[in-house]
Amino acid sequence: MRLLTYIALLAVIPALLTAARTHETNPMSSQEDFEEGRRLYRINCGVCHGMEGKTGRGARLARRTYRHGNSDAALFDLIEAGVPGTDMPGLWLDEDDIWRILLFVRTFAEKASEVCNASGDVAAGKRVFDSQGSCLACHTVGPRGGRLGPDMSFAGVQYTDQQLRDALLEPSREVTDRYETVRLVTAEGERVEGVVMNENSYNIFVMDRSENIRSFRKAELQSLDLPEESLMPAYGDLLSKADLDNLIAYLCSLQGRDEEVAQ
Amino acid sequence: MDVFLRRMLLSALLCAAGAAGEVTYQDLLDDPEVAADWLNYHGGYAGHRHSLLDEVNRSNVKSLRLQWAFQERIAEKFEVTPLVHDGIMYITVPPGDVYALDAETGARLWRYSRRMPAKLIACCGLVNRGLAILGDRLFMATLDAYTIALDRKTGRLLWETELIDYSLGYSGTHAPLVVKDMVMVGTAGGEYGIRGFIDAFDVETGERRWRFYTVPGPGEFGNDTWSGDSWKTGGASVWITPSYDPELNLVYWGVGNPGPDWNGDVRLGDNLFSDSVVALDADTGKRKWHFQFTPHDVHDWDATQVMVLIDREYRGVERKLLVTANRNGFIYMLDRETGEFLKATQFVKQTWAVGISEEGRPIRRPGMEPSAEGIEVFPAVAGGTNWMSPAYSPDTGLLYVSCREGSSMYYKGETEYRPGTRYWGSMFVNETTMDKWYGAVRAFHPITAEKVWEHKLFQPVWAGLLSTAGGLVFAGGTGGFFKALDSESGEELWRINLGASILASPMTFEVNGRQLVAVASGGGMFVFTLP
């Protein structure tokens, strides 16, 4: 009976999930498979994720936990189907080749020296995030928070502790396009500050400090400034060293998948 | 530390400003009087799809021109009606995307993209018809059978609640309905042996408040209208946004066909609540009344048409009426407080019924059921009309209906239920001879059901209608023409070829004091205004 169930599952699973996957765990393990996986990774993945899985516009792969799941099956499905809404396409490769790529990608985690890891007090850091640091005014964790800064629900898998520390101390060092700062003055003299939601030759679309989404005709503005600095204040002056350490510890603790973050 | 103090002050300000621009329940009740916005799939709870905007009118509509277009690589049918609030247009793009667009220029503000299973199950295309809005939240029913809530300013997913396992043939395709603090969604899948239902969720948490099964279970009223265990696979899907009467607190849901579609032998009986309108108490989901248009349907004539709520005099008494042009070829008028049948009038060619009895039951013409050899019946399987919206103008007092003239050959065959696969009971073939097969926009007096005018279309129509206080009815064609008709005479006043079939219902809104008219065609959203 158990065998029959297993056979039935084998028949159903590929039909429901993807066209290709017939295993729940990676069946590849040989050195030849690993070498082939490395070759395929360099051809198909390296341009965005970096040859070591550490650099590039794609997600950082040199980590121990992944946002969309850590199981072989979840990662296989992600590689095969891609991630909608991002530049990550699905791969049109044979099942065995996707498993080989995954075999290679798994070695990144073993070499991941830069993980999010801080020695502070997580509970105290949460208090800093929620109240003292006013972080929730602009960032979300789970269902709570503001919209002007990046979602921090998965900070622990998206950033290293060093990246978080750099961003807190020097927020303007690196500002992603999605949160580009804009300061403009309208024809009527109103000063507007916020982040750019979209821009073309004629219009600019801004989420202002009050989270209103507003559109402006560029030709009608008195001035338009896109300073290469973040709206976020530098926290070196605002928080004690202990508070900073605790805050980073809290952010590193945000590792969960959607259902774990939701409150 | 004064920097920090300023920062704290700022965050306090942010909290205070957070409520600005939120859609309140009162806004939804006032829609369509809030003429600038379009806050509900129908442009208001009554299902009128009528706008009070009149900047574009009979005298100037001939100057209407394209303001902007939005295009995506959409291989599916693009059936959405946009919502517009606060200068932002919200649309769904199949199979699982949501876009926020600047309503004046079409520029994209954000996109949400849902990760979908590779194998979705939908009989008639991976479609979605739109969103609902309340507060700062958008709500969507998804093809993988979830109801989800998004932040309207960023597109961030706030919650998702599974309706049921999609792999059994269930899906969500209609724009949800928000009533008070609930969002309501019904499940599609009537061709897959589902057991249909309607769910209401808390808008804040996504927790289920109530469920109403459109096929009653054992011990429930109507279960005895299904022979044997046929209720378990009875279909009765829900795939169009209901209407709502706030005074009566009743939600009017059109329910789909029984399954299997064309072989009724395995489901003897009337098969409630398939092909019915059910009036549910909004707070509890309990049925107040129901009316079945096509008992024991064997032609796939879902009653998933828009329920138009009208307050008018009937036989000397002011009444709360429900008027709907049904897929089976008759326009029905009911009392929407009690469900009492008042009247039915044929509005397209039909050959299956001799007439409708005083109780509202069809008097069937013998021998018009599907058979192994096939039988030609009018209307065609897609019906005398379908899910596309009618419109009702309080100005002219007329009901406008997109009509389909034609027939199908209906065949009956064997069928066996297997989860997640088609449960049809044979097939149909559409008759395509041109003398039998055409479309029309027709204006009816809703009380007398007298046809006041007709505008013929070359092909049967899949586009809905929009009526405006500018004396116009906007209509679309399968051939790609989008046009404006005079609401009193039906005369064509303006048209443009959009280059692909229009399979959606138009809407209108106002931004910065200008009226715009929007309709989906092919893979594009087209928005028009005056020069």
Side-chain angles (χ1 to χ4, degrees):
Chain A
M1 192 62 191
R2 192 174 282 176
L3 181 67
L4 275 177
T5 310
Y6 181 67
I7 292 169
L9 269 177
L10 275 185
V12 167
I13 286 165
L16 291 183
L17 296 176
T18 67
R21 183 162 61 77
T22 58
H23 294 78
E24 280 297 291
T25 56
N26 197 339
M28 300 294 158
S29 59
S30 73
Q31 188 61 30
E32 292 75 36
D33 292 328
F34 177 82
E35 293 301 333
E36 178 63 4
R38 188 207 316 258
R39 191 184 74 83
L40 291 168
Y41 177 89
R42 290 188 169 179
I43 294 169
N44 292 288
C45 321
V47 66
C48 290
H49 293 286
M51 292 309 166
E52 308 271 299
K54 290 181 179 176
T55 54
R57 65 192 176 115
R60 184 185 170 84
L61 302 180
R63 60 172 85 249
R64 296 199 169 95
T65 53
Y66 295 100
R67 180 173 175 173
H68 296 291
N70 290 315
S71 69
D72 284 358
L75 289 167
F76 180 101
D77 292 345
L78 185 138
I79 295 169
E80 198 212 23
V83 182
T86 73
D87 291 335
M88 168 77 185
L91 288 187
W92 293 94
L93 292 177
D94 289 345
E95 179 181 11
D96 287 354
D97 284 342
I98 293 179
W99 286 126
R100 288 181 180 111
I101 289 174
L102 185 56
L103 184 66
F104 174 67
V105 167
R106 285 294 196 188
T107 63
F108 291 159
E110 291 157 18
K111 287 184 266 177
S113 55
E114 301 171 51
V115 292
C116 205
N117 203 347
S119 54
D121 179 337
V122 170
K126 183 173 190 303
R127 286 195 293 275
V128 174
F129 189 88
D130 288 1
S131 52
Q132 200 179 339
S134 299
C135 307
L136 276 175
C138 296
H139 297 280
T140 39
V141 170
R144 302 177 306 135
R147 303 174 172 96
L148 285 166
D151 181 7
M152 289 288 128
S153 302
F154 307 95
V157 292
Q158 286 178 306
Y159 310 105
T160 67
D161 50 272
Q162 191 57 47
Q163 286 173 320
L164 291 167
R165 190 173 296 276
D166 290 347
L168 283 160
L169 297 177
E170 274 187 85
S172 297
R173 192 154 85 178
E174 196 180 344
V175 182
T176 58
D177 286 350
R178 167 66 185 81
Y179 297 96
E180 190 179 13
T181 297
V182 57
R183 293 197 185 95
L184 59 83
V185 181
T186 67
E188 297 77 29
E190 184 193 359
R191 290 174 186 278
V192 177
E193 185 180 62
V195 295
V196 179
M197 295 195 79
N198 197 355
E199 184 184 1
N200 57 40
S201 300
Y202 312 100
N203 302 86
I204 186 160
F205 305 91
V206 176
M207 178 177 282
D208 71 16
R209 279 283 197 178
S210 303
E211 299 187 345
N212 296 308
I213 298 172
R214 301 175 63 178
S215 73
F216 301 94
R217 291 190 186 93
K218 287 181 173 183
E220 296 173 0
L221 297 175
Q222 281 188 34
S223 71
L224 173 60
D225 185 22
L226 299 169
E228 289 183 4
E229 60 185 56
S230 173
L231 282 183
M232 183 164 123
Y235 275 86
D237 299 333
L238 298 172
L239 296 176
S240 69
K241 183 179 176 303
D243 282 344
L244 267 178
D245 289 345
N246 294 340
L247 178 56
I248 291 165
Y250 168 62
L251 292 169
C252 286
S253 77
L254 300 173
Q255 300 260 339
R257 305 192 59 188
D258 298 46
E259 57 269 28
E260 289 158 15
V261 169
Q263 293 169 10
Chain B
M1 273 295 153
D2 58 343
V3 179
F4 191 62
L5 279 175
R6 263 191 287 150
R7 180 83 193 151
M8 296 296 278
L9 204 63
L10 175 69
S11 59
L13 276 173
L14 285 180
C15 294
E22 285 193 3
V23 175
T24 65
Y25 179 53
Q26 190 60 45
D27 292 337
L28 297 180
L29 291 170
D30 291 344
D31 189 29
E33 279 75 25
V34 189
D37 284 353
W38 190 276
L39 299 175
N40 156 297
Y41 177 80
H42 301 303
Y45 280 135
H48 291 182
R49 204 168 278 261
H50 174 84
S51 169
L52 300 185
L53 295 178
D54 61 359
E55 186 198 0
V56 179
N57 55 49
R58 288 183 190 119
S59 65
N60 60 20
V61 67
K62 62 182 180 299
S63 307
L64 208 59
R65 61 158 179 81
L66 187 68
Q67 167 77 1
W68 56 263
F70 161 91
Q71 301 209 42
E72 258 296 346
R73 285 167 290 181
I74 302 171
E76 292 294 340
K77 295 183 283 187
F78 197 17
E79 298 186 347
V80 70
T81 294
L83 298 184
V84 171
H85 173 62
D86 215 10
I88 301 174
M89 173 182 284
Y90 301 100
I91 59 171
T92 58
V93 170
D97 291 2
V98 181
Y99 284 75
L101 307 173
D102 177 61
E104 192 175 29
T105 65
R108 177 171 125 182
L109 299 173
W110 55 255
R111 179 177 105 178
Y112 163 82
S113 221
R114 185 167 180 78
R115 245 185 126 192
M116 291 280 200
K119 187 190 161 204
L120 291 163
I121 304 170
C123 70
C124 314
L126 300 179
V127 300
N128 185 281
R129 304 191 181 86
L131 301 155
I133 189 169
L134 183 72
D136 267 343
R137 291 171 178 214
L138 298 167
F139 306 94
M140 178 188 187
T142 68
L143 283 165
D144 57 343
Y146 277 77
T147 300
I148 66 171
L150 304 177
D151 182 291
R152 82 169 181 93
K153 292 185 175 178
T154 63
R156 201 169 82 93
L157 180 70
L158 299 173
W159 55 256
E160 56 181 344
T161 302
E162 189 181 37
L163 300 170
I164 192 169
D165 181 358
Y166 80 94
S167 70
L168 299 172
Y170 293 82
S171 56
T173 60
H174 73 82
L177 182 81
V178 166
V179 172
K180 300 173 188 175
D181 62 346
M182 290 170 286
V183 54
M184 302 176 189
V185 165
T187 175
E191 273 62 53
Y192 297 92
I194 66 161
R195 181 186 174 206
F197 60 83
I198 297 158
D199 277 348
F201 302 98
D202 183 301
V203 290
E204 290 291 328
T205 64
E207 278 172 45
R208 188 175 285 108
R209 292 274 187 84
W210 52 255
R211 170 171 289 185
F212 174 82
Y213 279 101
T214 51
V215 182
E220 292 177 331
F221 175 87
N223 180 260
D224 59 357
T225 64
W226 297 86
S227 57
D229 280 343
S230 61
W231 61 274
K232 291 180 178 171
T233 51
S237 56
V238 174
W239 46 278
I240 200 70
T241 309
S243 301
Y244 172 60
D245 184 327
E247 273 181 38
L248 300 175
N249 198 33
L250 292 177
V251 187
Y252 303 95
W253 296 87
V255 181
N257 62 277
D261 301 42
W262 299 292
N263 184 342
D265 296 351
V266 300
R267 49 169 175 84
L268 300 176
D270 277 359
N271 307 142
L272 290 173
F273 299 98
S274 70
D275 291 5
S276 302
V277 52
V278 290
L280 302 187
D281 181 286
D283 297 321
T284 64
K286 299 268 186 264
R287 177 184 59 92
K288 179 157 186 215
W289 58 259
H290 73 278
F291 177 83
Q292 190 174 39
F293 303 97
T294 316
H296 192 73
D297 174 24
V298 286
H299 296 99
D300 189 19
W301 288 332
D302 303 65
T304 48
Q305 290 80 55
V306 177
M307 304 296 155
V308 183
L309 311 186
I310 302 175
D311 293 343
R312 278 181 72 150
E313 194 179 290
Y314 177 71
R315 292 187 177 162
V317 183
E318 187 72 15
R319 294 186 83 146
K320 282 172 152 301
L321 303 172
L322 181 155
V323 178
T324 184
N326 190 271
R327 197 158 153 174
N328 71 12
F330 291 86
I331 292 177
Y332 289 79
M333 181 164 57
L334 310 176
D335 181 311
R336 72 172 182 272
E337 205 167 347
T338 62
E340 179 191 353
F341 168 78
L342 300 176
K343 188 170 180 162
T345 312
Q346 183 180 329
F347 73 102
V348 290
K349 178 172 179 181
Q350 64 81 20
T351 57
W352 68 284
V354 178
I356 306 292
S357 77
E358 283 188 11
E359 295 75 38
R361 276 186 86 88
I363 304 159
R364 283 188 155 91
R365 192 185 306 278
M368 302 308 278
E369 295 80 29
S371 63
E373 304 75 36
I375 175 85
E376 184 185 17
V377 179
F378 289 75
V381 71
T385 186
N386 205 295
W387 63 271
M388 52 281 197
S389 289
Y392 173 74
S393 166
D395 300 334
T396 62
L398 298 178
L399 176 74
Y400 306 99
V401 181
S402 292
C403 302
R404 302 175 54 88
E405 292 283 1
S407 63
S408 291
M409 292 292 290
Y410 292 83
Y411 295 89
K412 177 169 147 185
E414 294 306 310
T415 194
E416 183 190 350
Y417 174 71
R418 289 167 57 213
T421 61
R422 285 175 182 159
Y423 187 50
W424 285 9
S426 197
M427 59 182 290
F428 65 92
V429 178
N430 283 331
E431 268 295 331
T432 52
T433 49
M434 292 312 295
D435 56 331
K436 293 176 178 175
W437 196 230
Y438 69 97
V441 179
R442 290 179 183 146
F444 298 95
H445 190 285
I447 303 301
T448 64
E450 168 203 2
K451 185 168 81 182
V452 180
W453 56 255
E454 169 180 85
H455 175 86
K456 266 199 175 186
L457 298 164
F458 191 66
Q459 291 166 287
V461 56
W462 279 110
L465 303 171
L466 164 72
S467 124
T468 75
L472 301 171
V473 172
F474 287 90
T478 308
F481 283 107
F482 185 49
K483 49 182 79 179
L485 310 176
D486 185 314
S487 61
E488 279 178 358
S489 67
E491 183 193 349
E492 184 181 301
L493 302 176
W494 171 83
R495 71 165 179 270
I496 187 168
N497 183 356
L498 298 181
S501 290
I502 300 172
L503 309 170
S505 302
M507 52 79 75
T508 186
F509 59 98
E510 186 181 89
V511 177
N512 294 333
R514 295 167 71 205
Q515 184 184 356
L516 297 101
V517 180
V519 71
S521 165
M525 178 63 62
F526 296 86
V527 177
F528 301 89
T529 192
L530 293 170

